[in-house]
Amino acid sequence: MAHDDTVELLRSGALSRRQVLQVLASTGVVALPIATTPSAVAKPVENTVDLSLLEWNGYENPLFHPEYTAKYGGEPKVAFFAEEEDALQRIRTGYPVDLVHFCAGITAMARDAEVIIPLDTNRIPRWGEIIPSLLEVEGIYAQGSYWLAPWDWGYSTVAYNPETIDVENPTYDIFIDPRFKGKTALPSSIGVNFFIAGVIGGWQDPLDPTEAELESASEIFTKMLENARFVWPDSTQLEQAWAAGDVGISYVYGSATRRMKQEGMPNVVVEPLMMWICGLSLAADRSGSLDQAYDYIDAMLDPVGGAALFDIYGYGHANRNTNALIGAERLAGTGLDDPVGLFSRGIFMAATPPGKRAKLFQLWFEAQAGLD
């Protein structure tokens, strides 16, 4: 855990005295209680952790689950993944894990593969505090059960720099407009590029093209790649090029659009937004404690951890009480204070059916090879 992150939360005043002590305990700092005996020291909690996670890098931060750390005296065993499909494949091949941080778009695939099991929501005390509209998203509820406990949510977007790109009524077509050749950048996430192509092509469902719509994919991919200055695996590369004026059109993380403006990098969002909701699912073949798995899910739903999520990544938290800790002034302009309104501006990033996804990958790589 970064020391600066901890200090920022403590300075914010958002934590109660008990929560401050929990955060300090999670960082290894021993807090002296206010007592009449100067020698009194908080007794450390015995480490009884019996839990493993498959997680995105950075989301294992103890600030997101202080109650779990305080109760069990340590952190779960964590393995990281870069793409959800990698995580799904690892579980399919027998990788031992108790919880996995999936997004709603892939839960149907995970459910069909029988690598996750339904949640017993009665064992999650904060379940009733989840924002109701999050529970209505496709993939979270199916077959009479919940398969994902929502935790983080937000959006990504296409954006352009109005100081380097002159365009009226912009659409995703700016990625293939010959006027902007060499001024666009594409992410290394091929699934995102499929979505962009689908919007450009006017596919009825950008994530599930018809056979007729698939026929237009190759041409769109080629034009996108011809216009692109580079494909970025790290947003740092994008932001450096953006600041230098070398690139003025790209896919951008929603939280980054706000931060970039604060850092003097103007950008204008182009709709539709790319909406996403992620959370925790129970792996079918677990070896750790089921009680701890549910305690961890509930701890992640703590508004205190949700405020830390906003502070660090600028994302929304599933608990409806979290925004009160963040404050209306800080939420203004983010859209995170109105999930229903924000959702209406975008399309949820769901999984493309495997057969069509394989075809799209083939067409994408062929388009790349054609430029060599």
Side-chain angles (χ1 to χ4, degrees), residues 246-296:
D246 296 332
V247 163
I249 297 169
S250 186
Y251 163 84
V252 184
Y253 302 131
S255 57
T257 61
R258 303 190 295 271
R259 176 179 50 74
M260 287 166 66
K261 287 179 181 177
Q262 294 170 354
E263 296 176 358
M265 290 182 276
N267 61 82
V268 177
V269 168
V270 181
E271 298 189 14
L273 304 179
M274 304 177 202
M275 305 303 307
W276 54 266
I277 293 178
C278 304
L280 295 166
S281 293
L282 274 173
D285 296 323
R286 299 178 317 281
S287 59
S289 167
L290 185 59
D291 287 340
Q292 288 196 26
Y294 279 112
D295 282 348
Y296 187 86

Side-chain angles (χ1 to χ4, degrees), residues 157-320:
T157 182
V158 165
Y160 72 95
N161 184 344
E163 294 186 355
T164 59
I165 302 298
D166 184 14
V167 59
E168 294 184 10
N169 303 317
T171 66
Y172 280 27
D173 285 3
I174 55 179
F175 277 99
I176 61 173
D177 190 324
R179 293 179 299 162
F180 307 130
K181 184 178 178 62
K183 286 293 186 179
T184 73
L186 297 172
S188 59
S189 173
I190 299 177
V192 169
N193 293 324
F194 293 165
F195 180 91
I196 292 172
V199 175
I200 292 172
W203 301 348
Q204 186 171 353
D205 182 344
L207 297 163
D208 187 7
T210 65
E211 292 301 322
E213 289 170 341
L214 274 172
E215 294 179 3
S216 68
S218 182
E219 181 181 359
I220 297 171
F221 290 163
T222 298
K223 290 181 178 179
M224 289 170 61
L225 289 162
E226 286 177 340
N227 258 20
R229 190 181 189 95
F230 55 76
V231 175
W232 53 269
D234 182 345
S235 62
T236 301
Q237 179 186 6
L238 167 66
E239 292 179 28
Q240 289 174 345
W242 198 281
D246 296 332
V247 163
I249 297 169
S250 186
Y251 163 84
V252 184
Y253 302 131
S255 57
T257 61
R258 303 190 295 271
R259 176 179 50 74
M260 287 166 66
K261 287 179 181 177
Q262 294 170 354
E263 296 176 358
M265 290 182 276
N267 61 82
V268 177
V269 168
V270 181
E271 298 189 14
L273 304 179
M274 304 177 202
M275 305 303 307
W276 54 266
I277 293 178
C278 304
L280 295 166
S281 293
L282 274 173
D285 296 323
R286 299 178 317 281
S287 59
S289 167
L290 185 59
D291 287 340
Q292 288 196 26
Y294 279 112
D295 282 348
Y296 187 86
I297 292 173
D298 196 62
M300 291 283 277
L301 288 170
D302 184 349
V304 172
L309 173 67
F310 180 84
D311 288 341
I312 296 171
Y313 293 126
Y315 296 148
H317 186 244
N319 194 312
R320 65 171 181 266

Side-chain angles (χ1 to χ4, degrees), residues 27-366:
T27 63
V29 177
V30 177
L32 293 176
I34 301 174
T36 56
T37 55
S39 60
V41 178
K43 183 178 179 180
V45 177
E46 179 185 358
N47 188 327
T48 57
V49 171
D50 182 19
L51 187 68
S52 60
L53 306 177
L54 199 50
E55 183 59 278
W56 305 86
N57 193 10
Y59 291 91
E60 79 288 0
N61 194 323
L63 283 174
F64 299 152
H65 52 260
E67 287 184 350
Y68 178 90
T69 305
K71 183 173 182 177
Y72 293 105
E75 298 303 311
K77 177 183 176 182
V78 182
F80 299 110
F81 62 90
E83 297 285 345
E84 286 181 289
E85 290 176 348
D86 295 337
L88 179 57
Q89 185 59 28
R90 287 167 72 177
I91 300 176
R92 275 175 166 165
T93 55
Y95 186 84
V97 68
D98 300 309
L99 289 170
V100 59
H101 192 166
F102 275 143
C103 296
I106 204 170
T107 53
M109 293 174 60
R111 185 184 70 242
D112 292 345
E114 299 183 345
V115 298
I116 60 174
I117 61 174
L119 295 166
D120 181 354
T121 59
N122 293 320
R123 301 183 68 171
I124 306 172
R126 290 190 174 96
W127 188 265
E129 299 174 18
I130 293 175
I131 298 169
S133 55
L134 300 186
L135 297 174
E136 297 172 2
V137 173
E138 184 178 354
I140 291 178
Y141 184 83
Q143 301 174 356
S145 299
Y146 289 100
W147 299 82
L148 181 84
W151 181 65
D152 53 326
W153 61 276
Y155 66 91
S156 295
T157 182
V158 165
Y160 72 95
N161 184 344
E163 294 186 355
T164 59
I165 302 298
D166 184 14
V167 59
E168 294 184 10
N169 303 317
T171 66
Y172 280 27
D173 285 3
I174 55 179
F175 277 99
I176 61 173
D177 190 324
R179 293 179 299 162
F180 307 130
K181 184 178 178 62
K183 286 293 186 179
T184 73
L186 297 172
S188 59
S189 173
I190 299 177
V192 169
N193 293 324
F194 293 165
F195 180 91
I196 292 172
V199 175
I200 292 172
W203 301 348
Q204 186 171 353
D205 182 344
L207 297 163
D208 187 7
T210 65
E211 292 301 322
E213 289 170 341
L214 274 172
E215 294 179 3
S216 68
S218 182
E219 181 181 359
I220 297 171
F221 290 163
T222 298
K223 290 181 178 179
M224 289 170 61
L225 289 162
E226 286 177 340
N227 258 20
R229 190 181 189 95
F230 55 76
V231 175
W232 53 269
D234 182 345
S235 62
T236 301
Q237 179 186 6
L238 167 66
E239 292 179 28
Q240 289 174 345
W242 198 281
D246 296 332
V247 163
I249 297 169
S250 186
Y251 163 84
V252 184
Y253 302 131
S255 57
T257 61
R258 303 190 295 271
R259 176 179 50 74
M260 287 166 66
K261 287 179 181 177
Q262 294 170 354
E263 296 176 358
M265 290 182 276
N267 61 82
V268 177
V269 168
V270 181
E271 298 189 14
L273 304 179
M274 304 177 202
M275 305 303 307
W276 54 266
I277 293 178
C278 304
L280 295 166
S281 293
L282 274 173
D285 296 323
R286 299 178 317 281
S287 59
S289 167
L290 185 59
D291 287 340
Q292 288 196 26
Y294 279 112
D295 282 348
Y296 187 86
I297 292 173
D298 196 62
M300 291 283 277
L301 288 170
D302 184 349
V304 172
L309 173 67
F310 180 84
D311 288 341
I312 296 171
Y313 293 126
Y315 296 148
H317 186 244
N319 194 312
R320 65 171 181 266
N321 299 317
T322 299
N323 283 355
L325 292 184
I326 297 171
E329 183 176 342
R330 297 183 65 204
L331 287 167
T334 67
L336 301 179
D337 52 348
D338 179 19
V340 174
L342 189 64
F343 295 169
S344 69
R345 296 169 53 194
I347 299 172
F348 275 95
M349 298 296 289
T352 299
K356 294 178 182 179
R357 186 173 179 83
K359 179 62 175 178
L360 287 168
F361 266 101
Q362 177 187 342
L363 295 173
W364 178 264
F365 291 131
E366 288 177 354

